[in-house]
């Protein structure tokens, strides 16, 4: 069956989709908590203040949780999914833990006003994953979340241009052109 | 400096030229200049083919602790009845192999009957409705079915071009069984004269694919002296894992 087409998230999702602690996959006081954060930029290098990001990830043990509780977070259950809108400066920040060694990346999906369909990408913890070896150096660099002093990870997203983030298409996703 | 906004005639001509230019696409063209905001926000490099791995193969799970059944009725969130045409929007969420997406989250948001969103950046001088927020959630049932009771949203103006109006629509956010199936889209209403003028809807250049975003009026869903019914089914992209059926 052919999939239903996507459409832009538009400008007015802000009162509907974000919710309290959506960006806190673990509470900020968690002993292994880090921030996965960055800025979303447009083709002019201007920050995008109306983008929404979601991440999906494994926990430190390398398994991807399939437990509910992402919307009403109880502070104890790690669900491996989070949602965060960008602020006026185009910045987003998740509080989470790093996925375990068998699971080398955060899966990321991006929505924005002006973006007619969602974009998928990956924020890798290190540059040595097999998929990254299939990319050229510039593309590879866009998929690595840079480790900051203290352990936070910075993952900026460029929607277009010379510095564009490498976005992914998966089998069975059809084509946009 | 305020740039002069193009006319609808100019935008419609751009849309027609893009529709005629090459093979129709079933997904929106990410580069669709008649939608002016897309110009600086679409990727200019090709998407990279990848095989989904790890967390991409597993959708987040939502349950009854996440969603209250009352959140599926957008007309009961306040002390009184919202103004407008009461409707039900009902349908199924299927994956690309026609399998129902069970017990999964569906989110909606929309303008009120006057075309105004409860959003601080909506500057349309139309009335707010103190009895209508315009946001809802539900979980699909075992057949993939969802159902929202709401108010028919009004069309609203925007500043893409001169005299630009969005056709009436409800925004939908959907999940499948894999993270790769994530979908955000918009549902439109049948016979809306603004649909053909709208660069967002028309960014889907295949006319049949575009029509998939239009709900059908379904008199069997209408309830006497209460509401009118619309049916709209959603098909997600195909899954990659072999599904494990629950016993
Ligand atoms: Fe809208």
């Amino acid at each position: 069956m052919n999939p239903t087409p996507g459409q832009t998230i538009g400008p007015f999702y802000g009162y509907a989709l974000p919710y309290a602690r959506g960006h806190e996959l673990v509470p900020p006081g968690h002993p292994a908590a880090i921030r996965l954060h960055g800025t979303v930029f447009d083709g002019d290098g201007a920050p995008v203040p109306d983008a929404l990001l979601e991440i999906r990830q494994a926990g430190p043990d390398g398994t991807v949780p399939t437990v509910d509780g992402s919307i009403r977070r109880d502070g104890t259950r790690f669900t491996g999914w989070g949602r965060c809108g960008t602020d006026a400066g185009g910045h987003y920040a998740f509080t989470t833990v790093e996925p375990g060694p068998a699971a080398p990346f955060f899966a990321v999906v991006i929505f924005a006003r002006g973006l007619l369909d969602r974009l998928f990408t990956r924020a890798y913890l290190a540059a040595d994953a097999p998929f990254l070896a299939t990319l050229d150096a510039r593309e590879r660099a866009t998929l690595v979340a840079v480790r900051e002093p203290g352990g936070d990870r910075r993952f900026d997203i460029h929607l277009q241009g010379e510095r564009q983030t490498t976005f992914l298409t998966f089998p069975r996703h059809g084509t946009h052109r | 400096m305020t740039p002069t906004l193009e006319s609808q005639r100019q935008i419609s001509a751009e849309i027609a030229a893009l529709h005629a230019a090459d093979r129709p696409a079933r997904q929106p063209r990410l580069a669709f200049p008649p939608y002016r905001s897309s110009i600086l926000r679409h990727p200019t490099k090709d998407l990279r083919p990848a095989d989904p791995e790890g967390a991409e193969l597993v959708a987040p799970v939502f349950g009854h602790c996440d969603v209250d059944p009352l959140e599926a009725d957008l007309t009961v969130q306040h002390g009184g009845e919202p103004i407008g045409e009461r409707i039900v929007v009902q349908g199924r969420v299927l994956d690309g192999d026609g399998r129902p997406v069970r017990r999964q989250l569906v989110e909606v948001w929309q303008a009120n009957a006057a075309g105004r969103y409860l959003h601080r950046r909506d500057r349309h001088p139309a009335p707010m409705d103190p009895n209508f927020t315009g946001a809802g959630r539900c979980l699909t049932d075992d057949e993939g079915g969802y159902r929202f009771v709401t108010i028919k949203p009004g069309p609203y103006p925007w500043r893409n071009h001169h005299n630009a109006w969005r056709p009436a629509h409800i925004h939908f956010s959907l999940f499948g069984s894999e993270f790769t199936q994530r979908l955000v889209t918009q549902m439109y209403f049948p016979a809306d004269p603004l649909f053909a003028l709208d660069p967002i809807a028309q960014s889907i250049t295949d006319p049949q694919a575009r029509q998939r975003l239009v709900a059908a009026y379904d008199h069997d869903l209408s309830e006497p002296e209460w509401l009118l019914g619309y049916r709209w089914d959603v098909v997600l992209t195909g899954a990659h894992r072999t599904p494990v059926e629950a016993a």
Side-chain angles (χ1 to χ4, degrees):
Chain A
M1 296 172 82
N2 282 318
T4 303
Q7 291 272 267
T8 180
I9 198 168
F12 298 135
Y13 58 85
Y15 76 97
L17 294 186
Y19 58 89
R21 297 194 292 159
H23 62 292
E24 291 181 1
L25 287 80
V26 298
H30 187 287
I34 61 151
R35 288 198 322 152
L36 172 69
H37 72 116
T39 301
V40 181
F41 297 98
D42 73 11
D44 272 348
V48 175
D50 40 17
L52 185 81
L53 280 79
E54 292 174 357
I55 59 171
R56 183 74 174 127
Q57 64 165 106
D61 67 354
T63 65
V64 184
T66 53
V67 294
D68 60 8
S70 291
I71 294 179
R72 312 254 192 275
R73 297 201 192 274
D74 68 5
T76 63
R77 212 168 357 170
F78 178 70
T79 65
W81 179 80
R83 173 183 284 171
C84 186
T86 53
D87 64 19
H91 189 251
Y92 72 91
F94 293 95
T95 303
T96 187
V97 288
E98 289 191 357
F105 62 82
F106 300 91
V108 180
V109 65
I110 301 136
F111 308 93
R113 180 180 67 83
L115 181 59
L116 279 156
D117 203 1
R118 78 272 180 277
L119 292 172
F120 290 98
T121 188
R122 294 173 179 172
Y124 278 89
L125 297 175
D128 59 0
F131 174 72
L132 294 177
T134 69
L135 306 178
D136 67 37
R138 192 206 68 83
E139 291 175 309
R140 183 159 53 240
T142 70
L143 296 190
V144 178
V146 178
R147 192 174 191 282
E148 299 181 316
D152 287 349
R153 294 280 182 160
R154 182 165 189 100
F155 186 67
D156 289 339
I157 291 168
H158 295 265
L159 293 176
Q160 84 174 202
E162 275 316 297
R163 304 179 66 189
Q164 187 195 302
T165 300
T166 301
F167 298 112
L168 307 178
T169 182
F170 299 112
R172 313 191 69 187
H173 268 199
T175 174
H176 291 79
R177 60 170 80 206
Chain B
M1 167 187 97
T2 309
T4 318
L5 292 179
E6 285 84 355
S7 64
Q8 178 69 53
R9 188 179 304 272
Q10 166 73 25
I11 293 291
S12 290
E14 289 181 31
I15 291 171
L18 286 161
H19 284 190
D22 49 15
R23 218 155 49 86
R26 300 195 51 86
Q27 291 293 335
R29 281 175 199 277
L30 298 175
F32 200 73
Y35 176 29
R36 296 296 191 238
S37 302
S38 76
I39 293 173
L40 283 172
R41 293 184 171 193
H42 71 272
T44 41
K45 299 180 191 299
D46 286 345
L47 305 185
R48 267 277 169 187
D51 287 321
E53 305 173 27
E56 289 163 343
L57 292 168
V58 189
V61 172
F62 301 92
H64 295 292
C65 69
D66 292 305
V67 182
D68 187 302
L70 283 176
E71 293 182 80
D73 189 341
L74 284 72
T75 68
V76 297
Q77 296 174 352
H78 300 274
E81 286 276 346
I83 299 289
E85 188 181 323
R86 190 183 298 109
I87 61 171
V88 61
V89 179
Q90 180 173 333
R92 295 176 78 204
V93 184
L94 304 173
D95 75 8
D97 298 301
R99 288 185 298 251
V101 176
R102 300 187 169 107
R103 294 177 288 278
Q104 187 51 290
L105 180 66
V106 181
E107 296 162 286
V108 294
W109 70 103
Q110 62 167 91
N112 70 18
R116 179 83 187 260
Y117 282 90
L118 186 70
H119 189 286
R120 64 195 152 77
R121 282 208 294 271
D122 187 354
R123 290 173 295 175
H124 178 30
M128 302 295 296
D129 184 341
N131 291 316
F132 192 72
T133 300
R137 294 184 184 123
C138 76
L139 294 177
T140 57
D141 64 21
D142 283 349
E143 279 73 55
Y146 74 86
R147 183 176 195 271
F148 291 101
V149 174
T150 184
I151 293 295
K152 190 174 183 190
Y156 59 86
W158 60 315
R159 290 159 198 231
N160 186 69
H161 53 280
H162 179 65
N163 205 13
W165 290 81
R166 293 294 332 278
H169 59 275
I170 300 178
H171 295 268
F172 270 75
S173 159
L174 302 127
F175 294 80
S177 55
E178 294 181 7
F179 190 65
T180 60
Q181 292 171 300
R182 188 77 178 89
L183 176 67
V184 167
T185 188
Q186 303 182 26
M187 186 208 89
Y188 300 91
F189 289 86
D192 190 329
L194 297 170
F195 187 73
L197 306 182
D198 179 43
I200 293 179
Q202 299 299 318
S203 70
I204 303 153
T205 56
D206 180 317
Q208 274 150 15
R210 201 156 64 225
Q211 207 57 32
R212 296 276 296 279
L213 297 183
V214 181
Y217 172 69
D218 186 339
H219 200 63
D220 291 335
L221 293 179
S222 296
E223 296 174 21
E225 286 150 66
W226 188 240
L227 53 69
L228 294 174
Y230 290 88
R231 184 174 294 282
W232 187 56
D233 294 334
V234 180
V235 180
L236 305 177
T237 55
H240 305 86
R241 274 184 308 148
T242 312
V244 181
E245 281 294 320

